Amino acid sequence: MTRTAPLTTDDLTAGAPVHDPAASGEWWRDAVIYQVYPRSFADGDGDGIGDLPGVTAKLDHLKGLGVDAVWLSPFYRSPQKDAGYDVADYRDIDPLFGTLADFDEMLAGAHERGLRIIVDLVPNHSSDQHVWFQEALAAAPGSAARDRYLFRDGRGPAGDEPPNNWQSIFGGPAWTRLAPREDDGPLGPQWYLHLFDSSQPDLNWENPEVHTEFEDVLRFWLDRGVDGFRVDVAHGMVKAAGLPDWDGRAAMVEGTVDEPATDPAAPEDGSTGAGNQGPMFDQDGVHEIYRSWHRVLEEYPGDRCLVAEAWVEPLSRLARYVRPDEMHQAFNFSFLTAPWDAARLRTVVSVSLDTMDAVGAPTTWVLSNHDVVRHASRFGLAEIGGRQLNGIAATDPQPDAELGLRRARAATLLMLGLPGSAYVYQGEELGLPDHTALPAEVRQDPSFFRTDGAEPGRDGCRVPLPWVGGAPGNGFGPSGRTWLPQPGVYADLAADQQYGVAGSTYEMYRTALELRRAEKIGTAGLAWVDALAGSPDVVAFHVAGVVVLANLGATPVALPAETDVLVASGDLVDGAVPSDTTVWLRV
Ligand code: GLC
């Protein structure tokens, strides 16, 4: 392969800053936050499902990795129809995961190690097993109990058509009709709205009682000492008045990538343009809710924070969730869905920083979570980019594992070099891929069932973590049981196979996180390397005292002599950065 002429130090000169250092010092502005998906992190009791004692037992792994905070997906009482995102009691722990005492112990253990804890709040919908929904079912149409949810009469003379044409994000209609009762009127039983599974009825945020209840839930966990909340479906709670018909199909993850930014039709912010523009999303009314929650958090000491999970594009709409009196951070899904393309990445980074700077909020960066195909698998697909975010089935084209891991490591090193706050999904520090060939009979995601298997669903990224390579269940828990099977490759990627091993993905994350902290990258400014700002292959920028350089092209990029390489996502070849490799340099 031909090499370009070596870069000189002059070639790496910084251009004008495109982002100024963060003004104030709240911890969440530059935190690296690790997502624990409790059922798949570590199993303490041997039932094959992870739990809170499992998390407590592994806190030293997180401390050693060097993250600042942990966000835990839901562990509340739940029938687990959507893996806990169907909450039956917002103030208690599901026995599957332990007890409130186990939670307190986990929280204390984290705080002792200087790790903050963010819990998940699911306010758009409850479980159908929540006492409120059970009361609503027992009560008459028009009652106060029904008004906590979105019950409506059906359309048509007999009321047997759904109240509108909305589709569930998990597939099928967004309305379910109640069973007939003797006191039904001429329109028969009512229907209730569920943007997700039929076991997840949407709450009515026009009802003041719903507001009071959730403020109380916030206080319950703040009083226990949590440092913040990740707010589920933060763009969905308020629906357009009259619930008008909409012909679009709401999707949590659109999974499509539009043309590169050179396409005149592509959104200027480098986002996918997929958007969620229907009458169930991103309504102005949601912002008043976040203003009131902001005030609740301010009653507590210590910079507690709210993080929006809002699949909203373009980024200028997302920025409205993090205005100074609303939430503190929002997941940057425009970054997550960006393809492995130098121009697109530069655009999404610039626009993200600009847009969030304009409202005084930190930009966040994220590549994986429990809802999307892990980036080590995503980037190994022939169709590079955000395609197939929703899961990969055994019958789909399979990712190239080696290419995927190589690009994932390069993408991670680029991400951790960006100022702001970054999210790491459990297992990505081991370079884990999805299980891309799960048999149908073990799948559990409701989206698989509601689409009759047309969508594989998200189980592939939720496989229990390997801690001890080759042990039963790769050391997930004491019994060797795992609620989903692990792919064979997890034995080699287990944590114990990587600790202290030079060049392992774990050690790359650890080194990068250590440098990120030492160099204060999270609160630094950013300036593009001018000479490479139009390169189709290279993304390069200055941050703090470091140059981050990612080579996405086929041709190796030769570095100036005397360059100090601080960390690299792959081995350099004769002083050149090979294809799909990122380096942090001191020049
Ligand atoms: C969020 C969660 C996802 C869940 C959905 C419904 O998008 O991240 O896992 O299925 O909300 O609560």
Side-chain angles (χ1 to χ4, degrees):
M1 195 174 298
T2 48
R3 293 169 37 159
T4 45
L7 293 170
T8 63
T9 24
D10 274 357
D11 292 334
L12 293 176
T13 307
V18 293
H19 163 70
D20 289 327
S24 48
E26 295 98 342
W27 67 270
W28 39 263
R29 288 192 175 268
D30 61 338
V32 176
I33 301 172
Y34 184 99
Q35 179 187 358
V36 164
Y37 192 67
R39 60 170 43 230
S40 301
F41 186 66
D43 178 13
D45 64 6
D47 66 354
I49 299 180
D51 44 40
L52 293 174
V55 178
T56 306
K58 298 292 186 197
L59 286 171
D60 284 332
H61 171 82
L62 303 178
K63 185 68 190 164
L65 183 61
V67 298
D68 303 296
V70 179
W71 147 41
L72 292 107
S73 282
F75 40 64
Y76 311 108
R77 265 191 196 270
S78 158
Q80 304 292 324
K81 293 279 174 53
D82 183 22
Y85 282 95
D86 48 323
V87 180
D89 183 346
Y90 290 88
R91 297 179 186 79
D92 202 3
I93 309 289
D94 197 278
L96 210 50
F97 300 123
T99 61
L100 278 169
D102 291 330
F103 175 84
D104 291 341
E105 199 177 321
M106 185 273 302
L107 184 69
H111 283 169
E112 269 164 31
R113 291 168 177 80
L115 296 167
R116 318 250 180 182
I117 293 290
I118 293 174
V119 297
D120 215 311
L121 188 74
V122 190
N124 178 69
H125 46 265
S126 73
S127 159
D128 61 358
Q129 300 306 306
H130 191 284
V131 60
W132 274 8
F133 195 73
Q134 292 299 313
E135 282 173 24
L137 291 182
S143 59
R146 289 248 171 131
D147 191 52
R148 293 168 179 148
Y149 294 90
L150 292 162
F151 283 91
R152 293 288 184 275
D153 289 333
R155 293 202 281 207
D160 53 4
E161 291 164 32
N164 69 23
N165 68 352
W166 295 2
Q167 298 295 297
S168 153
I169 288 157
F170 289 161
W175 295 90
T176 291
R177 199 176 196 190
L178 302 184
R181 296 175 15 151
E182 278 183 6
D183 56 356
D184 283 337
L187 289 177
Q190 285 197 305
W191 300 69
Y192 66 90
L193 178 73
H194 50 87
L195 291 184
F196 294 90
D197 189 53
S198 56
S199 64
Q200 295 167 293
D202 279 49
L203 287 154
N204 173 19
W205 279 89
E206 303 293 329
N207 182 334
E209 205 186 341
V210 173
H211 289 247
T212 314
E213 169 67 4
F214 274 89
E215 287 184 15
D216 195 67
V217 169
L218 288 176
R219 290 200 171 87
F220 178 88
W221 293 102
L222 289 165
D223 288 340
R224 281 203 118 76
V226 305
D227 300 287
F229 301 88
R230 175 265 190 192
V231 180
D232 191 63
V233 198
H235 57 315
M237 282 135 76
V238 174
K239 280 79 181 173
L243 310 181
D245 273 345
W246 183 58
D247 292 328
R249 164 88 211 274
M252 183 162 58
V253 183
E254 195 68 22
T256 52
V257 178
D258 58 359
E259 296 307 309
T262 47
D263 171 3
E268 278 177 13
D269 65 0
S271 64
T272 67
N276 268 320
Q277 311 291 350
M280 66 290 285
F281 286 134
D282 198 23
Q283 303 296 308
D284 286 348
V286 293
H287 298 287
E288 204 36 61
I289 302 173
Y290 304 132
R291 291 193 185 101
S292 68
W293 291 4
H294 185 108
R295 291 192 291 271
V296 172
L297 264 63
E298 280 197 327
E299 294 166 15
Y300 291 80
D303 298 331
R304 319 281 173 118
C305 69
L306 295 164
V307 184
E309 187 230 12
W311 290 92
V312 168
E313 289 177 322
L315 283 157
S316 53
R317 291 295 295 186
L318 187 66
R320 302 169 84 238
Y321 289 75
V322 288
R323 289 176 288 195
D325 58 347
E326 296 196 34
M327 300 217 232
H328 304 86
Q329 290 190 346
F331 293 124
N332 187 346
F333 294 127
S334 299
F335 181 73
L336 185 149
T337 52
W340 188 234
D341 173 277
R344 288 294 302 275
L345 284 168
R346 276 194 301 268
T347 305
V348 76
V349 168
S350 283
V351 178
S352 300
L353 291 169
D354 269 6
T355 318
M356 297 301 152
D357 282 356
V359 289
T363 304
T364 67
W365 311 104
V366 59
L367 287 163
S368 284
N369 66 33
H370 66 293
D371 290 327
V372 301
V373 171
R374 287 175 174 278
H375 59 292
S377 294
R378 222 162 63 223
F379 288 134
L381 292 169
E383 207 68 81
I384 294 308
R387 281 185 214 280
Q388 296 194 343
L389 281 173
N390 295 333
I392 299 175
T395 48
D396 288 330
Q398 295 292 297
D400 174 336
E402 204 183 312
L403 179 71
L405 180 56
R406 185 176 181 80
R407 287 186 168 164
R409 289 171 53 125
T412 292
L413 213 48
L414 189 151
M415 171 177 91
L416 294 178
L418 290 165
S421 173
Y423 280 82
V424 171
Y425 176 48
Q426 65 177 36
E428 67 169 81
E429 78 278 24
L430 306 176
L432 297 187
D434 265 36
H435 195 319
T436 55
L438 281 173
E441 55 278 13
V442 303
R443 291 207 177 258
Q444 303 205 12
D445 184 348
S447 67
F448 175 74
F449 299 102
R450 290 186 61 89
T451 59
D452 289 330
E455 270 190 26
R458 302 160 292 173
D459 295 306
C461 66
R462 300 175 173 180
V463 172
L465 292 197
W467 293 98
V468 184
N474 290 310
F476 177 60
S479 67
R481 287 167 63 193
T482 60
W483 70 277
L484 283 173
Q486 299 163 317
V489 67
Y490 275 31
D492 292 338
L493 295 173
D496 75 322
Q497 304 296 304
Q498 301 200 35
Y499 291 144
V501 176
S504 71
T505 303
Y506 172 84
E507 290 300 333
M508 182 197 84
Y509 269 77
R510 209 183 50 71
T511 306
L513 290 173
E514 201 172 280
L515 282 165
R516 183 181 165 89
R517 188 185 300 258
E519 301 289 332
K520 300 192 170 44
I521 286 177
T523 49
L526 181 141
W528 296 108
V529 169
D530 255 352
L532 295 168
S535 163
D537 294 332
V538 179
V539 175
F541 55 88
H542 285 251
V543 62
V546 175
V547 173
V548 175
L549 185 148
N551 180 10
L552 291 80
T555 313
V557 174
L559 297 173
E562 313 287 320
T563 308
D564 194 5
V565 178
L566 304 175
V567 59
S569 69
D571 289 339
L572 267 60
V573 180
D574 302 333
V577 182
S579 181
D580 296 325
T581 303
T582 300
V583 289
W584 291 10
L585 312 169
R586 180 112 54 210
V587 289

